[in-house]
Amino acid sequence: PEIKFVTPDGKQAAVSQACTMDMAILWDLFTNCIEAATVLGTDAAFAERLRAARERLYPAKIGARGQLQEWFRDFQEADVHHRHVSHLFGVFPGRQLTSEGTPRLLKAAQRALEIRGDAGTGWSLGWKINLWARLRDGDHAYTMVRNLLTLVETSATNMHNGGGVYPNLFDAHPPFQIDGNFGYTSGVTEMLLQSHAGEIRLLPALPKTWPAGRVTGLRARGGVEVDIAWNGGKATAAVLRPTKASARRVRAPKGQQITGIRRGKERVPFQAAGEGVAVFDTQTGREYHLIFG
């Protein structure tokens, strides 16, 4: 990570073994390759080597402040409010840390994000939108949206200018980086739809300030296009358009249930698999309309 840490003898250093971001990127790479080998039915021996290597990665640790450690030891960061949040790669864009699979580590990641603070240049704020969305805190994600849209009227190099965009809406990280613009788009999408944890989750981080709305053409993992409409903070309609036949696992917004699924005039059988979750088979070229209760 770009941020420096303080060594036990009071000096600042930038390099250590087993940085959390390094381990998270390797976990993601190994896991993606293992899954690809399984889907393609090839490279079984190589996939097994990756499984063994993945087990040997230095595990994520929780520091004295309850935060996800950034390095292999609980070093103090040189800049507590640094714009980088590299050690949270496992939350986003990775998928190693989830509420279902690693709740303690996810809570520690949230604490690390709280310690870092809400300031930053454009690309940093874009990343933080995505992180708060993955943490399913829509109101905090919306705060990051507003921070990202803070006007910056100078292109002078200032890493703590607390702003997000220039007057032309380009990402304000001197002189200019597109990362924040792409990050904003990704973050808003993550607020409305997530599919990284083995299921399609509808409106996972909807802020109170967006009580009603509609979005069309979002893409979820597994080859499916999704439309969602909501009112009063609750989903009123959702449509899935698969690009390949597959079983789907869909989770309704918090506090809601999927009470029915229609394909044209036909009712589609589904299995209730936990609170608000429906599992059902889909076919290519058909529309599946979800009914909520």
Side-chain angles (χ1 to χ4, degrees):
E2 196 168 314
I3 183 175
K4 294 182 179 181
F5 60 89
V6 182
T7 65
D9 60 359
K11 297 179 180 179
Q12 291 189 12
V15 178
S16 83
Q17 62 181 326
C19 292
T20 302
M21 187 186 200
D22 293 350
M23 298 300 100
I25 290 174
L26 287 168
W27 186 95
D28 220 50
L29 173 63
F30 291 171
T31 301
N32 290 341
C33 288
I34 291 166
E35 292 182 358
T38 301
V39 169
L40 297 172
T42 187
D43 295 316
F46 177 60
E48 195 56 42
R49 285 175 56 199
L50 291 179
R51 287 188 184 91
R54 187 174 60 181
E55 288 299 313
R56 295 196 302 272
L57 293 175
Y58 191 78
K61 302 285 187 178
I62 298 176
R65 291 169 288 171
Q67 89 287 7
L68 187 72
Q69 285 184 195
E70 196 157 359
W71 299 276
F72 81 109
R73 290 183 183 170
D74 193 9
F75 295 122
Q76 174 67 44
E77 59 270 39
D79 180 358
V80 175
H81 302 301
H82 197 279
R83 65 194 177 280
H84 275 265
V85 284
S86 306
H87 53 317
L88 305 186
F89 182 97
V91 180
F92 181 91
R95 55 194 170 103
Q96 183 180 8
L97 305 186
T98 64
S99 59
E100 292 79 15
T102 58
R104 288 184 66 252
L105 290 174
L106 189 69
K107 184 177 180 180
Q110 178 172 329
R111 181 62 188 137
L113 191 56
E114 292 168 349
I115 291 171
R116 213 47 133 225
D118 293 342
T121 49
W123 71 263
S124 174
L125 297 172
W127 196 350
K128 289 177 181 179
I129 298 172
N130 286 274
L131 288 166
W132 283 111
R134 285 283 176 93
L135 292 166
R136 299 178 199 152
D137 189 334
D139 291 332
H140 208 136
Y142 180 72
T143 296
M144 295 296 97
V145 168
R146 293 298 301 253
N147 288 358
L148 180 61
L149 293 175
T150 300
L151 178 63
V152 176
E153 297 187 274
T154 174
S155 60
T157 301
N158 180 357
M159 298 307 178
H160 296 278
N161 60 18
V165 293
Y166 297 123
N168 63 359
L169 294 183
F170 280 1
D171 167 32
H173 183 95
F176 160 66
Q177 291 181 352
I178 196 68
D179 311 39
N181 297 100
F182 290 154
Y184 167 86
T185 305
S186 169
V188 171
T189 301
E190 290 283 336
M191 293 166 74
L192 302 176
L193 179 74
Q194 293 179 18
S195 60
H196 63 285
E199 64 183 23
I200 296 171
R201 185 181 286 265
L202 305 174
L203 305 182
L206 186 69
K208 293 184 179 66
T209 193
W210 296 347
R214 181 170 178 263
V215 62
T216 61
L218 298 183
R219 295 300 296 266
R221 291 167 179 80
V224 60
E225 186 177 298
V226 183
D227 301 345
I228 314 169
W230 66 94
N231 193 28
K234 295 183 178 295
T236 55
V239 181
L240 273 62
R241 301 184 189 88
T243 58
K244 70 173 186 176
S246 178
R248 308 288 173 180
R249 180 183 172 94
V250 182
R251 185 179 294 271
K254 186 177 181 180
Q256 291 189 263
Q257 301 288 333
I258 297 172
T259 57
I261 304 171
R262 301 194 70 89
R263 184 181 57 205
K265 295 182 179 180
E266 304 173 14
R267 283 193 170 272
V268 176
F270 68 92
Q271 176 185 356
E275 184 179 355
V277 177
V279 178
F280 56 99
D281 293 326
T282 62
Q283 299 174 348
T284 306
R286 306 296 296 272
E287 288 191 349
Y288 294 81
H289 294 254
L290 276 55
I291 303 167
F292 299 95

